[in-house]
Amino acid sequence: MLFNKDFYINSLFCTYREKPKNHKFINNLPRKSYVLVFVQKGNLKFISPTGTVFATDGDLVLIPQNMICSTEFLAEKNLAFNFFFTLTEYKKIDELLHFSINTEIHKILQNVITEYKKGYTCNTYILSELYKLLYILNKNNVQDEKYKKLSPAIDYITLNFKETVPVSVYAKMCAMSETSFRKLFKELMGQKPTEFRTNLRLKHVEELALEGTPITEAILEAGFGSPSFYYRIKRKNI
């Protein structure tokens, strides 16, 4: 479990940040609070003394209390919602924690963002939703332990989605057989490793096109071998 059974949120405030590519938050001092980051859009890189975590659309990252951690924004447009909170009862966590969210968690986060946009950085409703969110993460953490071994591959694909790498290489990164890796990856992500990589490429083409990049150039830049292959994949995803 992440937190003691009877944890209590002692303080809370929230921020909602939009940052461009290559923006960095450099933090050289230990944080006095937990920070739970919801990556609504973009790609973020979290760097701590215990390791590096990459997070993309729909991911949650928990930065433990008293941890030194810096953040880099890797996509052209990055949106992140942040909960800063302290607990009266907590277990010591020594590493960054990375979560993929389910429908229940996504609904809670969208409700909180809607409330925040009304002008509330913290109120009773946001506090109650954070309690729900932490209880769910606490409950799910035991199951999430088995997915931790996938982190090297997920992080690598997120950062290097333009590269066409055999799935066997991803499996080796996680010290797993290819068969076991494929099965566990699909169980966690709801898609095959190659589908996850392709969806990141499709998203990157959209981002480049919105910036005014010619479509053929955007397709090749995202890692697709040819426009015809891109359009074939695009049709399958419609």
Side-chain angles (χ1 to χ4, degrees):
M1 297 178 72
L2 294 174
F3 312 109
N4 291 336
K5 184 178 179 181
D6 298 320
F7 71 85
Y8 176 79
I9 299 173
N10 194 42
S11 64
L12 167 67
F13 77 93
C14 304
T15 62
Y16 193 39
R17 293 170 174 162
E18 179 178 341
K19 297 297 178 184
K21 187 175 183 179
N22 296 325
H23 185 86
K24 297 180 181 180
F25 283 121
I26 306 298
N27 183 14
N28 295 319
L29 296 174
R31 297 177 181 272
K32 295 182 179 180
S33 65
Y34 286 92
V35 187
L36 186 62
V37 183
F38 169 49
V39 182
Q40 188 176 27
K41 181 179 178 62
N43 291 306
L44 276 65
K45 178 181 180 182
F46 299 86
I47 306 163
S48 77
T50 60
T52 300
V53 166
F54 293 92
T56 188
D57 295 9
D59 287 349
L60 277 172
V61 174
L62 179 66
I63 304 172
Q65 188 170 337
N66 298 320
M67 174 172 281
I68 296 172
C69 182
S70 297
T71 309
E72 295 181 12
F73 297 80
L74 306 178
E76 296 301 326
K77 181 178 181 181
N78 303 275
L79 291 172
F81 190 87
N82 307 279
F83 299 89
F84 296 83
F85 61 96
T86 58
L87 302 176
T88 53
E89 295 289 338
Y90 64 92
K91 292 183 177 180
K92 183 175 176 57
I93 302 174
D94 296 318
E95 61 182 343
L96 295 167
L97 297 179
H98 180 202
F99 308 94
S100 295
I101 66 175
N102 57 27
T103 303
E104 184 180 13
I105 291 175
H106 186 265
K107 182 178 179 181
I108 291 171
L109 291 165
Q110 292 304 319
N111 289 343
V112 169
I113 290 173
T114 299
E115 191 73 3
Y116 179 89
K117 288 181 176 179
K118 294 177 183 177
Y120 301 106
T121 58
C122 177
N123 61 13
T124 303
Y125 178 78
I126 293 177
L127 181 63
S128 67
E129 292 298 284
L130 179 58
Y131 267 112
K132 286 185 198 175
L133 182 56
L134 295 183
Y135 277 122
I136 293 170
L137 294 178
N138 217 25
K139 179 183 68 176
N140 292 347
N141 184 245
V142 174
Q143 184 180 17
D144 287 344
E145 288 293 323
K146 77 174 183 176
Y147 299 123
K148 270 190 174 184
K149 62 177 73 174
L150 295 174
S151 293
I154 293 172
D155 290 346
Y156 186 86
I157 297 169
T158 301
L159 189 62
N160 302 283
F161 60 84
K162 299 176 187 179
E163 298 179 7
T164 302
V165 176
V167 174
S168 59
V169 174
Y170 299 144
K172 188 174 181 180
M173 291 177 184
C174 303
M176 299 174 67
S177 70
E178 184 176 340
T179 301
S180 298
F181 173 78
R182 286 178 180 273
K183 181 179 179 181
L184 193 62
F185 193 99
K186 181 72 179 290
E187 184 179 312
L188 174 65
M189 305 296 287
Q191 55 189 324
K192 299 174 183 177
T194 50
E195 290 172 337
F196 176 60
R197 183 176 65 198
T198 297
N199 287 330
L200 290 174
R201 290 177 178 177
L202 290 170
K203 176 171 163 282
H204 191 56
V205 172
E206 292 176 2
E207 290 174 348
L208 291 174
L210 287 172
E211 294 165 16
T213 304
I215 188 63
T216 299
E217 183 181 333
I219 289 168
L220 297 176
E221 167 64 21
F224 290 103
S226 68
S228 60
F229 179 62
Y230 165 78
Y231 287 115
R232 190 161 67 249
I233 295 296
K234 184 74 172 174
R235 282 193 295 272
K236 287 182 180 179
N237 282 268
I238 293 175

